[in-house]
């Protein structure tokens, strides 16, 4: 199976909250990331969380980590049409060059 | 400050041909990475340069792929001869630090092999 798994699509109404889920297999993962890719653009690091944290909040973004279940989620409050993009979950380990292992990406579609 | 740039943005070639992709990192970034996303699949690491040296090339799929970074500035990724399964989006990223530092990604080159 894949090292990092996430659902492929999510559709939400503008103004609602979006929750994008991700599971990973490597229990030694130290850093977990969320990247955003807008159409025609490169990946942009949205946020990351250390494995010794349960939650991280940054404005409209909330990251929750359940280390026991190896489950990571990204919640976007008050989702806007500009949030439509592909969101990639990724993990990396400490040491080495911190090269992330990515999931397939979740396409978030925000409709009026 | 200019971001990471990649050229071309799109390339369509026939099986057996050669293609060279170019990446210009952010000025001053010693670390340069290549990644590939095959349609609908995960983004996979290909290799990592520190200046002109290959730090990690464990992700390179086979010897049809050759990456260079002469002079430690821009990098090229050559595919020769291209096969159908090489189609995908090739991303380049650069960062200032080798450790946990934000990797800045380019927009990618979409390669289609017919």
């Amino acid at each position: 199976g894949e090292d990092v798994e996430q659902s492929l699509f999510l559709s939400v109404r503008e103004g609602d909250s979006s929750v994008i889920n991700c599971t990973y297999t490597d229990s030694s993962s130290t850093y977990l990331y969320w990247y955003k890719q807008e159409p025609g653009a490169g990946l942009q690091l949205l946020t990351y969380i250390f494995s010794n944290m349960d939650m991280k909040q940054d404005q409209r973004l909330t990251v929750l980590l359940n280390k026991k279940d190896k489950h990571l989620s990204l919640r976007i409050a008050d989702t806007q049409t500009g949030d439509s993009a592909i969101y990639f979950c990724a993990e990396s380990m400490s040491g080495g060059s911190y090269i992330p292992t990515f999931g397939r990406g979740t396409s978030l579609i925000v409709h009026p | 400050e200019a971001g990471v740039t990649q050229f071309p943005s799109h390339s369509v070639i026939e099986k057996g041909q050669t293609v060279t992709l170019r990446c210009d990192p952010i000025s001053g970034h010693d670390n340069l990475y290549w990644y590939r996303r095959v349609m609908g699949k995960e983004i996979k690491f290909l290799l990592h340069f520190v200046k002109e040296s290959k730090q990690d090339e464990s992700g390179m799929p086979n010897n049809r792929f050759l990456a260079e970074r002469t002079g430690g500035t821009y990098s090229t990724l050559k595919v020769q001869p291209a096969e159908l399964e090489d189609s995908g989006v090739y991303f380049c990223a650069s960062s200032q630090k080798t450790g946990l530092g934000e990797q800045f990604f380019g927009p990618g080159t979409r390669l289609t092999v017919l």
Side-chain angles (χ1 to χ4, degrees), chain B residues 3-75:
Chain B
V4 176
T5 57
Q6 293 186 243
F7 182 83
S9 56
H10 294 83
S11 180
V12 180
I13 61 172
E14 292 189 351
K15 177 183 169 180
Q17 290 186 320
T18 298
V19 63
T20 301
L21 313 181
R22 173 173 169 142
C23 168
D24 285 77
I26 292 172
S27 178
H29 281 192
D30 287 341
N31 296 280
L32 187 149
Y33 309 82
W34 282 99
Y35 296 87
R36 175 174 74 172
R37 186 184 188 215
V38 173
M39 182 65 71
K41 294 191 178 277
E42 65 273 17
I43 298 170
K44 290 257 192 200
F45 164 76
L46 296 178
L47 88 160
H48 169 209
F49 283 100
V50 178
K51 297 184 181 178
E52 67 274 9
S53 299
K54 291 175 185 172
Q55 181 78 9
D56 181 352
E57 53 183 329
S58 60
M60 294 289 265
N62 51 62
N63 59 10
R64 295 185 293 103
F65 289 75
L66 176 64
E68 293 181 320
R69 194 183 180 195
T70 308
T73 54
Y74 71 91
S75 174

Side-chain angles (χ1 to χ4, degrees), chain A residues 6 10 12 17-18 33 38 40 42 57-59 78 86 89 105-106:
Chain A
Q6 46 184 135
L10 177 66
V12 299
S17 292
S18 308
Y33 310 82
E38 296 183 13
Q57 187 153 3
D58 183 3
Q59 298 182 334
D78 186 25
I86 302 176
C89 174
T106 298

Side-chain angles (χ1 to χ4, degrees), chain A residues 87-101:
Chain A
Y87 290 81
F88 291 91
C89 174
E91 58 88 13
S92 72
M93 292 182 285
S94 60
S97 54
Y98 300 95
I99 292 171
T101 299

Side-chain angles (χ1 to χ4, degrees), chain B residues 49-108:
Chain B
F49 283 100
V50 178
K51 297 184 181 178
E52 67 274 9
S53 299
K54 291 175 185 172
Q55 181 78 9
D56 181 352
E57 53 183 329
S58 60
M60 294 289 265
N62 51 62
N63 59 10
R64 295 185 293 103
F65 289 75
L66 176 64
E68 293 181 320
R69 194 183 180 195
T70 308
T73 54
Y74 71 91
S75 174
T76 58
L77 180 64
K78 182 192 284 189
V79 185
Q80 179 182 31
E83 298 289 343
L84 299 179
E85 64 264 24
D86 300 332
S87 296
V89 181
Y90 290 77
F91 291 103
C92 175
S94 72
S95 68
Q96 203 159 31
K97 299 176 185 176
T98 302
L100 179 60
E102 182 178 329
Q103 293 184 24
F104 291 86
F105 280 77

